[in-house]
Amino acid sequence: TRQLSRSYNNYGGVLILLILTLALATYTAAMAASLDQNLIDELQYTIGSDITFAGSGEFIPGLSGQDTSANPDIAQISGTWNFIPVETYSEFEGVLASTRVGSFNATMETGGRTLQGDLYGINWSSFSKVVDFRSDFADEPLNGLMNRLAITPNAVLVDRMSWHKLNLNPGDSLTVTLDTGELRSFNMTAVGVFDYFPTWKAGLNTGLVVANLDYIFESLGGIQPYLIWLKTEPSLNTAMVKNQANQMGINLTNVRDR
């Protein structure tokens, strides 16, 4: 140190280079960590949970109590869906929780104002155990939003853009029309607002309402296709889930993971 202080002109350039190198290394490490976290956040938002896939079920054509043999076309478009219970997946080794998520094209209307968008149907009691929901996705915690959905069967959460465009207030009525091959309209009650919701592509000028899935199915007169979202232990991978499903005779499709 004494030698450096006496001969600064000889070592000054080296010291400056050393300081710049250390500063650049620190900046690079911080930038890499930030990029890694951004990638993790993007994957979590895009997938919604650790593993998702289409619910395993079959469509049984035909009208209950009506002979369709004379008109097979009716039988092909009328019938019921039969799905493996969602609780089955929670019994898989390494699976911590499971839930159902339905997605439908939707139109929202109130007070003469109309918006196009989507409706997500969820089970509020199990959704919070599975989803990756950051604190900045809404003004209140996820459990608070889920409690709002539990207030009444026809409750809906609405994205903030749609909330303002439709000039909504808590408790306002909202007509939501779903397209499931035929248009069906329901009177819903707006109970809460959010900014982002996992898997929803915000910022595309289309809205999103989140509703109680069981209420939607009951209103439609039967179960419709949906996705299964799983929360798993870190050691469980997709191949292991598929293997357990295959052993039970379940074929998983549309599988996505992080």
Side-chain angles (χ1 to χ4, degrees), residues 57-64 75-83:
E58 61 175 343
F59 182 73
I60 304 174
L63 292 172
S64 177
Q76 290 301 316
I77 62 176
S78 303
T80 59
W81 281 94
N82 185 29
F83 288 92

Side-chain angles (χ1 to χ4, degrees), residues 8 11-23:
Y8 176 79
Y11 297 99
V14 176
L15 287 173
I16 292 174
L17 182 60
L18 179 60
I19 292 171
L20 290 175
T21 301
L22 291 174

Side-chain angles (χ1 to χ4, degrees), residues 16 28 50 72 108 112 167 225 232 234 238 256:
I16 292 174
T28 302
D50 293 333
M108 297 161 273
N167 195 26
T232 66
T238 303
R256 304 179 72 191

